Coordinates of all heavy atoms in Angstrom, one line a residue:
M29 N -41.3 -32.0 -22.7 CA -42.3 -32.9 -22.3 C -43.1 -32.3 -21.1 O -42.6 -31.9 -20.2 CB -41.7 -34.2 -21.7 CG -42.6 -35.3 -21.5 SD -41.8 -36.9 -21.6 CE -40.1 -36.7 -21.8
A30 N -44.4 -32.0 -21.3 CA -45.2 -31.6 -20.2 C -45.4 -32.7 -19.3 O -45.2 -33.9 -19.5 CB -46.5 -31.1 -20.8
L31 N -45.9 -32.3 -18.1 CA -46.2 -33.4 -17.0 C -47.7 -33.6 -17.0 O -48.5 -33.0 -17.5 CB -45.7 -32.9 -15.7 CG -44.1 -32.5 -15.7 CD1 -43.8 -32.2 -14.2 CD2 -43.3 -33.6 -16.2
L32 N -47.9 -34.8 -16.3 CA -49.4 -35.3 -16.3 C -49.7 -35.7 -14.9 O -48.8 -36.3 -14.2 CB -49.4 -36.5 -17.3 CG -50.7 -37.2 -17.5 CD1 -51.5 -36.4 -18.4 CD2 -50.3 -38.5 -18.2
I33 N -50.8 -35.3 -14.4 CA -51.3 -35.8 -13.1 C -52.2 -37.0 -13.3 O -53.1 -37.0 -14.0 CB -52.1 -34.6 -12.4 CG1 -51.1 -33.4 -12.2 CG2 -52.7 -35.1 -11.1 CD1 -51.8 -32.2 -11.7
N34 N -51.9 -38.0 -12.5 CA -52.7 -39.2 -12.7 C -53.8 -39.4 -11.6 O -54.0 -38.5 -10.7 CB -51.8 -40.5 -12.8 CG -51.2 -40.9 -11.5 OD1 -51.6 -40.5 -10.4 ND2 -50.2 -41.7 -11.5
E35 N -54.6 -40.5 -11.7 CA -55.8 -40.7 -10.8 C -55.5 -40.8 -9.4 O -56.4 -40.7 -8.5 CB -56.6 -41.8 -11.3 CG -56.0 -43.2 -11.0 CD -54.9 -43.6 -12.0 OE1 -54.6 -42.8 -12.9 OE2 -54.2 -44.6 -11.7
L36 N -54.3 -40.8 -9.0 CA -53.9 -40.9 -7.5 C -54.0 -39.5 -6.8 O -53.9 -39.4 -5.6 CB -52.5 -41.5 -7.3 CG -52.3 -42.9 -7.8 CD1 -50.9 -43.4 -7.6 CD2 -53.3 -43.9 -7.0
C37 N -54.2 -38.5 -7.6 CA -54.3 -37.1 -7.1 C -55.4 -37.1 -6.0 O -56.5 -37.6 -6.2 CB -54.6 -36.2 -8.2 SG -55.0 -34.5 -7.7
I38 N -55.0 -36.4 -4.9 CA -56.0 -36.3 -3.8 C -56.6 -34.9 -3.7 O -57.2 -34.6 -2.6 CB -55.4 -36.7 -2.4 CG1 -54.1 -35.8 -2.1 CG2 -55.1 -38.2 -2.4 CD1 -53.6 -36.0 -0.8
N39 N -56.4 -34.1 -4.8 CA -57.0 -32.7 -4.8 C -56.6 -31.9 -3.6 O -57.4 -31.2 -3.0 CB -58.5 -32.9 -4.9 CG -59.0 -33.4 -6.2 OD1 -58.5 -33.0 -7.3 ND2 -59.9 -34.3 -6.2
C40 N -55.3 -32.0 -3.3 CA -54.9 -31.2 -2.0 C -54.6 -29.7 -2.3 O -54.3 -29.0 -1.4 CB -53.7 -31.9 -1.4 SG -52.2 -31.7 -2.4
D41 N -54.4 -29.3 -3.6 CA -54.1 -28.0 -4.0 C -52.7 -27.4 -3.6 O -52.5 -26.3 -3.6 CB -55.2 -27.1 -3.5 CG -55.1 -25.6 -4.2 OD1 -55.0 -25.6 -5.4 OD2 -55.2 -24.6 -3.4
V42 N -51.8 -28.4 -3.3 CA -50.5 -27.9 -2.9 C -49.7 -27.5 -4.2 O -48.9 -26.5 -4.1 CB -49.7 -29.1 -2.2 CG1 -48.2 -28.8 -2.0 CG2 -50.4 -29.2 -0.8
C43 N -49.9 -28.2 -5.3 CA -49.0 -28.0 -6.5 C -49.4 -26.7 -7.2 O -48.5 -26.0 -7.6 CB -49.2 -29.1 -7.4 SG -50.9 -29.5 -8.0
A44 N -50.7 -26.4 -7.4 CA -51.1 -25.2 -8.2 C -50.3 -24.0 -7.9 O -49.9 -23.3 -8.8 CB -52.6 -25.1 -8.2
P45 N -50.3 -23.6 -6.6 CA -49.7 -22.2 -6.3 C -48.1 -22.3 -6.5 O -47.6 -21.2 -6.7 CB -50.0 -22.0 -4.8 CG -51.0 -23.0 -4.3 CD -50.9 -24.1 -5.5
E46 N -47.6 -23.4 -6.6 CA -46.1 -23.5 -6.8 C -45.7 -23.5 -8.3 O -44.5 -23.2 -8.6 CB -45.6 -24.8 -6.3 CG -45.8 -25.0 -4.8 CD -45.1 -23.9 -4.0 OE1 -44.0 -23.5 -4.4 OE2 -45.6 -23.6 -2.9
C47 N -46.7 -23.6 -9.2 CA -46.4 -23.5 -10.7 C -46.1 -22.1 -11.2 O -47.0 -21.3 -11.1 CB -47.5 -24.2 -11.4 SG -47.1 -24.2 -13.2
P48 N -44.9 -21.9 -11.6 CA -44.6 -20.6 -12.1 C -45.3 -20.2 -13.4 O -45.3 -19.0 -13.7 CB -43.0 -20.6 -12.3 CG -42.8 -22.1 -12.6 CD -43.8 -22.8 -11.8
N49 N -45.8 -21.1 -14.1 CA -46.5 -20.9 -15.3 C -48.0 -20.9 -15.3 O -48.7 -20.9 -16.3 CB -46.0 -21.9 -16.4 CG -44.6 -21.7 -16.7 OD1 -44.1 -20.6 -16.8 ND2 -43.9 -22.8 -16.9
R50 N -48.6 -21.1 -14.1 CA -50.1 -21.2 -13.9 C -50.6 -22.3 -14.8 O -51.6 -22.1 -15.5 CB -50.7 -19.9 -14.2 CG -50.3 -18.8 -13.1 CD -51.0 -17.5 -13.3 NE -50.5 -16.7 -14.4 CZ -51.3 -16.4 -15.6 NH1 -52.5 -16.8 -15.6 NH2 -50.8 -15.8 -16.5
A51 N -49.9 -23.4 -14.9 CA -50.3 -24.5 -15.8 C -51.2 -25.5 -15.1 O -51.9 -26.3 -15.7 CB -49.0 -25.2 -16.2
I52 N -51.4 -25.4 -13.7 CA -52.2 -26.4 -13.0 C -53.4 -25.8 -12.5 O -53.5 -24.7 -11.9 CB -51.3 -26.9 -11.8 CG1 -50.0 -27.4 -12.2 CG2 -52.1 -28.0 -11.1 CD1 -49.1 -27.8 -11.1
T53 N -54.6 -26.5 -12.8 CA -55.9 -26.0 -12.4 C -56.6 -27.3 -11.9 O -56.3 -28.4 -12.2 CB -56.6 -25.4 -13.5 OG1 -56.7 -26.3 -14.6 CG2 -56.1 -24.1 -13.9
Q54 N -57.7 -27.0 -11.1 CA -58.6 -28.1 -10.7 C -59.5 -28.4 -11.8 O -60.2 -27.7 -12.4 CB -59.4 -27.6 -9.5 CG -60.2 -28.7 -8.8 CD -60.7 -28.4 -7.5 OE1 -60.9 -27.2 -7.2 NE2 -61.0 -29.4 -6.7
G55 N -59.4 -29.8 -12.1 CA -60.4 -30.3 -13.2 C -61.6 -30.9 -12.6 O -61.9 -30.7 -11.5
A56 N -62.4 -31.5 -13.5 CA -63.7 -32.0 -13.0 C -63.5 -33.1 -11.9 O -64.2 -33.1 -11.0 CB -64.4 -32.7 -14.2
E57 N -62.4 -33.9 -12.0 CA -62.2 -35.0 -11.0 C -61.0 -34.8 -10.2 O -61.0 -34.9 -9.0 CB -62.1 -36.3 -11.8 CG -63.2 -36.6 -12.7 CD -64.4 -37.3 -11.9 OE1 -64.1 -37.8 -10.7 OE2 -65.6 -37.1 -12.4
I58 N -59.9 -34.4 -10.9 CA -58.6 -34.2 -10.2 C -57.9 -33.0 -10.8 O -58.4 -32.4 -11.8 CB -57.7 -35.5 -10.5 CG1 -57.5 -35.7 -11.9 CG2 -58.1 -36.7 -9.7 CD1 -56.4 -36.8 -12.2
Y59 N -56.7 -32.6 -10.3 CA -56.1 -31.5 -10.8 C -55.5 -31.8 -12.2 O -55.2 -33.0 -12.5 CB -55.0 -31.0 -9.8 CG -55.5 -30.1 -8.8 CD1 -56.4 -30.5 -7.9 CD2 -55.1 -28.8 -8.7 CE1 -57.0 -29.6 -7.0 CE2 -55.6 -27.8 -7.8 CZ -56.6 -28.3 -7.0 OH -57.1 -27.4 -6.0
E60 N -55.4 -30.8 -13.0 CA -54.9 -31.1 -14.5 C -53.7 -30.1 -14.7 O -53.7 -28.9 -14.3 CB -56.0 -30.9 -15.4 CG -57.2 -31.8 -15.2 CD -58.4 -31.5 -16.0 OE1 -58.5 -30.4 -16.6 OE2 -59.3 -32.4 -16.1
I61 N -52.8 -30.5 -15.6 CA -51.7 -29.7 -16.2 C -52.0 -29.4 -17.6 O -52.3 -30.2 -18.4 CB -50.4 -30.4 -16.0 CG1 -50.1 -30.6 -14.5 CG2 -49.3 -29.6 -16.7 CD1 -48.8 -31.4 -14.3
D62 N -52.0 -28.0 -17.9 CA -52.2 -27.6 -19.3 C -50.8 -27.8 -20.0 O -49.9 -27.0 -19.7 CB -52.6 -26.1 -19.4 CG -52.9 -25.6 -20.7 OD1 -52.5 -26.3 -21.7 OD2 -53.4 -24.5 -20.9
P63 N -50.7 -28.7 -21.0 CA -49.4 -28.9 -21.6 C -48.9 -27.7 -22.4 O -47.8 -27.6 -22.7 CB -49.7 -30.1 -22.5 CG -51.1 -30.2 -22.7 CD -51.8 -29.6 -21.5
R64 N -49.8 -26.8 -22.7 CA -49.4 -25.6 -23.5 C -48.7 -24.6 -22.5 O -48.0 -23.7 -23.0 CB -50.6 -24.9 -24.1 CG -51.3 -25.7 -25.1 CD -52.7 -25.1 -25.5 NE -53.4 -24.9 -24.2 CZ -54.5 -24.1 -24.2 NH1 -54.9 -23.5 -25.3 NH2 -55.2 -23.9 -23.1
R65 N -48.9 -24.8 -21.2 CA -48.2 -23.9 -20.3 C -47.1 -24.6 -19.5 O -46.3 -23.8 -18.9 CB -49.3 -23.3 -19.3 CG -50.4 -22.5 -19.9 CD -51.1 -21.8 -18.9 NE -50.4 -20.6 -18.4 CZ -50.5 -19.4 -18.9 NH1 -51.4 -19.2 -19.8 NH2 -49.6 -18.4 -18.4
C66 N -47.1 -25.9 -19.4 CA -46.0 -26.6 -18.6 C -44.7 -26.6 -19.4 O -44.6 -27.1 -20.5 CB -46.4 -28.0 -18.3 SG -45.2 -28.9 -17.4
T67 N -43.7 -26.0 -18.7 CA -42.3 -26.0 -19.3 C -41.4 -27.1 -18.5 O -40.2 -27.0 -18.7 CB -41.6 -24.7 -19.3 OG1 -41.4 -24.3 -17.9 CG2 -42.5 -23.7 -20.0
E68 N -42.0 -27.9 -17.7 CA -41.2 -28.8 -16.8 C -40.4 -27.8 -15.8 O -39.5 -28.3 -15.3 CB -40.3 -29.7 -17.5 CG -41.1 -30.8 -18.3 CD -40.1 -31.7 -19.1 OE1 -39.2 -32.1 -18.4 OE2 -40.4 -31.9 -20.2
C69 N -40.9 -26.6 -15.7 CA -40.2 -25.6 -14.9 C -38.9 -25.1 -15.6 O -38.2 -24.3 -15.0 CB -40.0 -26.1 -13.5 SG -41.5 -25.9 -12.5
V70 N -38.6 -25.5 -16.8 CA -37.5 -25.0 -17.5 C -37.6 -23.5 -17.6 O -38.6 -22.9 -17.9 CB -37.4 -25.6 -18.9 CG1 -36.3 -24.9 -19.8 CG2 -36.9 -27.2 -18.8
G71 N -36.5 -22.7 -17.3 CA -36.5 -21.3 -17.3 C -36.7 -20.7 -16.0 O -36.3 -19.6 -15.6
H72 N -37.4 -21.4 -15.1 CA -37.7 -21.0 -13.7 C -36.8 -21.7 -12.6 O -36.3 -21.0 -11.7 CB -39.2 -21.1 -13.4 CG -40.1 -20.2 -14.2 ND1 -40.3 -18.9 -13.9 CD2 -40.9 -20.5 -15.3 CE1 -41.1 -18.4 -14.8 NE2 -41.6 -19.3 -15.6
F73 N -36.9 -23.0 -12.7 CA -36.3 -23.8 -11.6 C -35.6 -25.0 -12.2 O -35.8 -25.4 -13.3 CB -37.3 -24.3 -10.6 CG -38.2 -23.3 -10.0 CD1 -39.4 -22.9 -10.4 CD2 -37.6 -22.5 -8.9 CE1 -40.2 -21.9 -9.7 CE2 -38.4 -21.5 -8.3 CZ -39.6 -21.2 -8.7
A74 N -34.6 -25.5 -11.4 CA -33.9 -26.7 -11.9 C -34.7 -28.0 -11.9 O -34.5 -28.9 -12.7 CB -32.6 -26.9 -11.0
E75 N -35.8 -28.0 -11.0 CA -36.6 -29.2 -10.9 C -38.0 -28.8 -11.0 O -38.4 -27.7 -10.6 CB -36.4 -29.9 -9.6 CG -34.9 -30.4 -9.3 CD -34.5 -31.5 -10.3 OE1 -35.3 -32.3 -10.8 OE2 -33.2 -31.6 -10.5
P76 N -38.9 -29.7 -11.6 CA -40.3 -29.4 -11.6 C -40.9 -29.2 -10.2 O -40.8 -30.1 -9.4 CB -41.0 -30.6 -12.3 CG -39.8 -31.2 -13.0 CD -38.6 -30.9 -12.3
Q77 N -41.4 -28.0 -9.9 CA -41.9 -27.7 -8.5 C -43.0 -28.5 -8.1 O -43.2 -28.8 -6.9 CB -42.1 -26.2 -8.5 CG -40.9 -25.4 -8.8 CD -39.8 -25.6 -7.7 OE1 -39.9 -25.2 -6.6 NE2 -38.8 -26.2 -8.2
C78 N -43.9 -28.9 -9.1 CA -45.1 -29.6 -8.7 C -44.7 -31.0 -8.1 O -45.2 -31.5 -7.2 CB -46.1 -29.7 -9.8 SG -45.3 -30.3 -11.4
I79 N -43.8 -31.6 -8.9 CA -43.3 -33.0 -8.4 C -42.6 -32.9 -7.0 O -42.8 -33.8 -6.2 CB -42.3 -33.6 -9.4 CG1 -43.0 -33.9 -10.7 CG2 -41.6 -34.8 -8.8 CD1 -42.1 -34.5 -11.8
E80 N -41.9 -31.8 -6.7 CA -41.2 -31.6 -5.5 C -42.2 -31.6 -4.3 O -42.0 -32.1 -3.3 CB -40.4 -30.3 -5.5 CG -39.3 -30.3 -6.5 CD -38.0 -30.7 -6.0 OE1 -37.6 -30.1 -5.0 OE2 -37.5 -31.7 -6.5
V81 N -43.4 -30.9 -4.5 CA -44.3 -30.7 -3.4 C -45.4 -31.8 -3.3 O -46.1 -31.9 -2.3 CB -44.9 -29.3 -3.4 CG1 -43.8 -28.3 -3.3 CG2 -45.8 -29.0 -4.7
C82 N -45.7 -32.5 -4.4 CA -46.8 -33.4 -4.4 C -46.7 -34.5 -3.3 O -45.6 -35.2 -3.4 CB -47.0 -34.0 -5.8 SG -48.5 -35.2 -5.8
P83 N -47.6 -34.7 -2.4 CA -47.4 -35.6 -1.3 C -47.6 -37.1 -1.7 O -47.2 -38.0 -1.0 CB -48.4 -35.1 -0.3 CG -49.5 -34.5 -1.0 CD -48.8 -33.9 -2.2
V84 N -48.3 -37.2 -2.8 CA -48.6 -38.6 -3.2 C -47.9 -39.1 -4.5 O -48.2 -40.1 -5.0 CB -50.1 -38.9 -3.4 CG1 -50.8 -38.7 -2.0 CG2 -50.7 -37.9 -4.4
E85 N -47.0 -38.3 -5.0 CA -46.2 -38.6 -6.1 C -47.0 -39.1 -7.4 O -46.8 -40.1 -8.0 CB -45.2 -39.7 -5.8 CG -44.2 -39.2 -4.7 CD -43.2 -40.3 -4.4 OE1 -43.0 -41.3 -5.0 OE2 -42.5 -40.0 -3.4
C86 N -48.1 -38.3 -7.7 CA -49.0 -38.7 -8.7 C -48.7 -37.8 -10.1 O -49.5 -37.9 -10.9 CB -50.4 -38.5 -8.3 SG -50.9 -36.8 -8.0
I87 N -47.6 -37.1 -10.1 CA -47.2 -36.3 -11.2 C -46.1 -36.9 -12.0 O -45.0 -37.1 -11.4 CB -46.9 -34.8 -10.8 CG1 -48.0 -34.2 -10.0 CG2 -46.7 -33.9 -12.1 CD1 -47.7 -32.8 -9.4
L88 N -46.4 -37.3 -13.2 CA -45.4 -38.0 -14.1 C -45.1 -37.3 -15.4 O -45.9 -36.4 -15.7 CB -46.0 -39.3 -14.4 CG -46.6 -40.1 -13.3 CD1 -47.4 -41.3 -13.8 CD2 -45.6 -40.7 -12.3
V89 N -44.1 -37.6 -16.0 CA -43.9 -37.1 -17.4 C -44.8 -37.7 -18.3 O -45.2 -38.9 -18.2 CB -42.3 -37.3 -17.9 CG1 -41.4 -36.5 -17.1 CG2 -42.1 -38.8 -17.8
D90 N -45.3 -36.9 -19.2 CA -46.3 -37.4 -20.1 C -45.7 -37.9 -21.4 O -45.1 -37.1 -22.2 CB -47.3 -36.2 -20.5 CG -48.4 -36.6 -21.4 OD1 -48.5 -37.8 -21.9 OD2 -49.3 -35.8 -21.7
P91 N -45.7 -39.2 -21.7 CA -45.0 -39.7 -22.9 C -45.6 -39.3 -24.1 O -45.1 -39.3 -25.2 CB -45.1 -41.2 -22.7 CG -46.2 -41.5 -21.8 CD -46.2 -40.2 -20.9
G92 N -46.8 -38.7 -24.0 CA -47.6 -38.3 -25.3 C -47.3 -36.9 -25.6 O -47.9 -36.3 -26.5
C93 N -46.5 -36.3 -24.8 CA -46.2 -34.8 -24.9 C -44.7 -34.4 -24.8 O -44.3 -33.7 -24.0 CB -46.9 -34.0 -23.9 SG -47.2 -32.3 -24.3
V94 N -43.9 -35.2 -25.7 CA -42.4 -35.0 -25.6 C -42.0 -33.8 -26.2 O -42.4 -33.4 -27.4 CB -41.8 -36.3 -26.3 CG1 -40.3 -36.1 -26.3 CG2 -42.2 -37.6 -25.7
E95 N -41.2 -32.9 -25.6 CA -40.6 -31.8 -26.1 C -39.1 -31.7 -25.8 O -38.7 -32.1 -24.7 CB -41.3 -30.5 -25.5 CG -42.8 -30.4 -25.9 CD -43.5 -29.4 -25.2 OE1 -43.8 -29.7 -24.0 OE2 -43.8 -28.3 -25.6
T96 N -38.3 -31.1 -26.6 CA -36.9 -30.9 -26.3 C -36.7 -29.8 -25.3 O -37.6 -29.0 -25.1 CB -36.2 -30.5 -27.6 OG1 -36.6 -29.3 -28.0 CG2 -36.2 -31.5 -28.7
R97 N -35.6 -29.7 -24.7 CA -35.3 -28.6 -23.8 C -35.4 -27.2 -24.5 O -35.9 -26.3 -24.0 CB -33.9 -28.8 -23.2 CG -33.6 -27.6 -22.2 CD -32.2 -27.9 -21.4 NE -32.1 -26.8 -20.5 CZ -32.5 -26.6 -19.3 NH1 -33.3 -27.6 -18.9 NH2 -32.3 -25.6 -18.6
E98 N -35.0 -27.2 -25.8 CA -35.0 -26.0 -26.6 C -36.5 -25.5 -26.8 O -36.8 -24.4 -26.7 CB -34.4 -26.1 -27.9 CG -32.9 -26.2 -27.9 CD -32.3 -27.5 -27.2 OE1 -33.0 -28.5 -27.3 OE2 -31.2 -27.4 -26.6
A99 N -37.3 -26.5 -27.0 CA -38.7 -26.2 -27.2 C -39.4 -25.7 -25.9 O -40.2 -24.8 -25.9 CB -39.5 -27.5 -27.7
L100 N -39.0 -26.4 -24.8 CA -39.5 -25.9 -23.5 C -39.0 -24.5 -23.1 O -39.7 -23.6 -22.6 CB -39.0 -26.8 -22.4 CG -39.7 -28.3 -22.5 CD1 -38.9 -29.2 -21.5 CD2 -41.1 -28.2 -22.1
L101 N -37.8 -24.2 -23.5 CA -37.3 -22.8 -23.3 C -38.0 -21.8 -24.2 O -38.3 -20.7 -23.8 CB -35.8 -22.8 -23.7 CG -34.8 -22.9 -22.5 CD1 -33.4 -22.8 -23.0 CD2 -35.0 -21.6 -21.5
T102 N -38.3 -22.1 -25.4 CA -39.1 -21.3 -26.3 C -40.5 -21.0 -25.7 O -41.0 -19.9 -25.8 CB -39.2 -21.9 -27.7 OG1 -37.9 -22.1 -28.3 CG2 -40.0 -21.1 -28.6
K103 N -41.1 -22.1 -25.2 CA -42.4 -22.0 -24.5 C -42.3 -21.0 -23.3 O -43.1 -20.1 -23.1 CB -42.9 -23.3 -24.1 CG -44.3 -23.3 -23.7 CD -44.8 -24.6 -23.0 CE -44.5 -25.9 -23.8 NZ -45.1 -27.1 -23.1
Y104 N -41.3 -21.2 -22.5 CA -41.0 -20.3 -21.4 C -40.8 -18.8 -21.8 O -41.5 -17.9 -21.2 CB -39.7 -20.8 -20.7 CG -39.1 -19.7 -19.8 CD1 -39.6 -19.4 -18.5 CD2 -38.0 -19.0 -20.3 CE1 -39.0 -18.4 -17.8 CE2 -37.3 -18.0 -19.5 CZ -37.9 -17.7 -18.2 OH -37.3 -16.8 -17.5
E105 N -40.1 -18.6 -22.9 CA -39.9 -17.2 -23.4 C -41.2 -16.6 -23.9 O -41.5 -15.4 -23.6 CB -38.8 -17.2 -24.4 CG -37.5 -17.4 -23.8 CD -36.4 -17.8 -24.8 OE1 -36.7 -17.9 -26.1 OE2 -35.2 -18.1 -24.4
R106 N -42.1 -17.5 -24.6 CA -43.3 -17.0 -25.0 C -44.3 -16.6 -23.9 O -44.9 -15.6 -23.9 CB -43.9 -18.0 -25.9 CG -45.2 -17.6 -26.7 CD -45.6 -18.6 -27.7 NE -46.1 -19.7 -27.2 CZ -45.6 -21.0 -27.3 NH1 -44.5 -21.1 -28.0 NH2 -46.0 -22.1 -26.7
L107 N -44.2 -17.5 -22.8 CA -45.2 -17.2 -21.7 C -44.7 -16.1 -20.9 O -45.5 -15.2 -20.5 CB -45.2 -18.5 -20.8 CG -46.0 -19.7 -21.5 CD1 -45.7 -20.9 -20.5 CD2 -47.5 -19.5 -21.5
T108 N -43.4 -15.9 -20.8 CA -43.0 -14.9 -19.9 C -43.0 -13.5 -20.6 O -42.9 -12.4 -19.9 CB -41.5 -15.1 -19.3 OG1 -40.7 -15.4 -20.4 CG2 -41.6 -16.2 -18.3
S109 N -43.1 -13.5 -21.9 CA -43.2 -12.2 -22.6 C -44.6 -11.8 -22.9 O -44.9 -10.9 -23.6 CB -42.4 -12.3 -23.9 OG -43.0 -13.2 -24.8
G110 N -45.5 -12.5 -22.2 CA -46.9 -12.2 -22.3 C -47.7 -12.8 -23.5 O -48.8 -12.5 -23.7
G111 N -47.0 -13.8 -24.2 CA -47.7 -14.4 -25.3 C -48.7 -15.4 -24.9 O -48.7 -15.8 -23.7
N112 N -49.5 -15.8 -25.8 CA -50.5 -16.8 -25.5 C -49.8 -18.2 -25.5 O -48.8 -18.4 -26.2 CB -51.5 -16.8 -26.6 CG -52.5 -15.7 -26.6 OD1 -52.7 -15.2 -25.5 ND2 -52.8 -15.1 -27.7
P113 N -50.3 -19.1 -24.7 CA -49.8 -20.4 -24.7 C -49.8 -21.2 -26.0 O -50.7 -20.8 -26.8 CB -50.6 -21.3 -23.7 CG -51.4 -20.3 -23.0 CD -51.5 -19.0 -23.8
Ligands
SF4_3 FE1 -45.9 -26.1 -13.6 FE2 -43.4 -26.7 -13.5 FE3 -45.2 -28.5 -12.8 FE4 -45.0 -27.8 -15.3 S1 -43.4 -28.9 -14.1 S2 -46.9 -28.0 -14.2 S3 -44.4 -25.7 -15.2 S4 -44.7 -26.6 -11.7
SF4_4 FE1 -53.0 -33.6 -6.7 FE2 -50.4 -33.8 -6.1 FE3 -51.4 -31.5 -6.9 FE4 -52.1 -32.5 -4.5 S1 -50.1 -31.9 -5.1 S2 -53.5 -31.5 -6.0 S3 -52.2 -34.6 -5.0 S4 -51.2 -33.4 -8.1

């Protein structure tokens, strides 16, 4: 399951540098997470780093992007071996 940033985002830029998969970028209105790159931090950390640092708790799991832990690990392996998202 990739994560989703909701409209409470204050564009503080704290989360983006913490993402090990470079999945977070500034969008037109608020920051956005690319679901092709978000592994929920599986493979890198025990907890999603963006959720840990976000001061307004606006990062949630995306119910429209459900993935198993195995799928997230496969995504992690693809990204860390230089593959395309
Ligand atoms: Fe990046 Fe991890 Fe947040 Fe996904 S959960 S956007 S991989 S920091
Ligand atoms: Fe938005 Fe939270 Fe990221 Fe700040 S840390 S840019 S409030 S999602």
Side-chain angles (χ1 to χ4, degrees):
M29 190 153 10
L31 303 187
L32 186 69
I33 296 173
N34 73 19
E35 71 283 354
L36 296 177
C37 172
I38 57 171
N39 293 311
C40 70
D41 193 43
V42 168
C43 56
E46 299 299 324
C47 178
N49 293 323
R50 293 183 288 115
I52 307 175
T53 54
Q54 188 168 21
E57 302 283 335
I58 56 173
Y59 275 65
E60 296 172 348
I61 295 175
D62 182 348
R64 298 169 306 165
R65 299 193 75 93
C66 177
T67 64
E68 295 180 45
C69 283
V70 166
H72 290 284
F73 300 102
E75 300 293 335
Q77 297 300 288
C78 54
I79 291 179
E80 298 267 301
V81 299
C82 179
V84 294
E85 298 182 9
C86 67
I87 307 176
L88 314 166
V89 291
D90 182 355
C93 200
V94 178
E95 292 165 285
T96 64
R97 185 174 175 84
E98 288 70 29
L100 292 168
L101 261 178
T102 299
K103 193 191 303 188
Y104 159 78
E105 285 161 5
R106 189 170 67 242
L107 289 169
T108 55
S109 64
N112 292 321

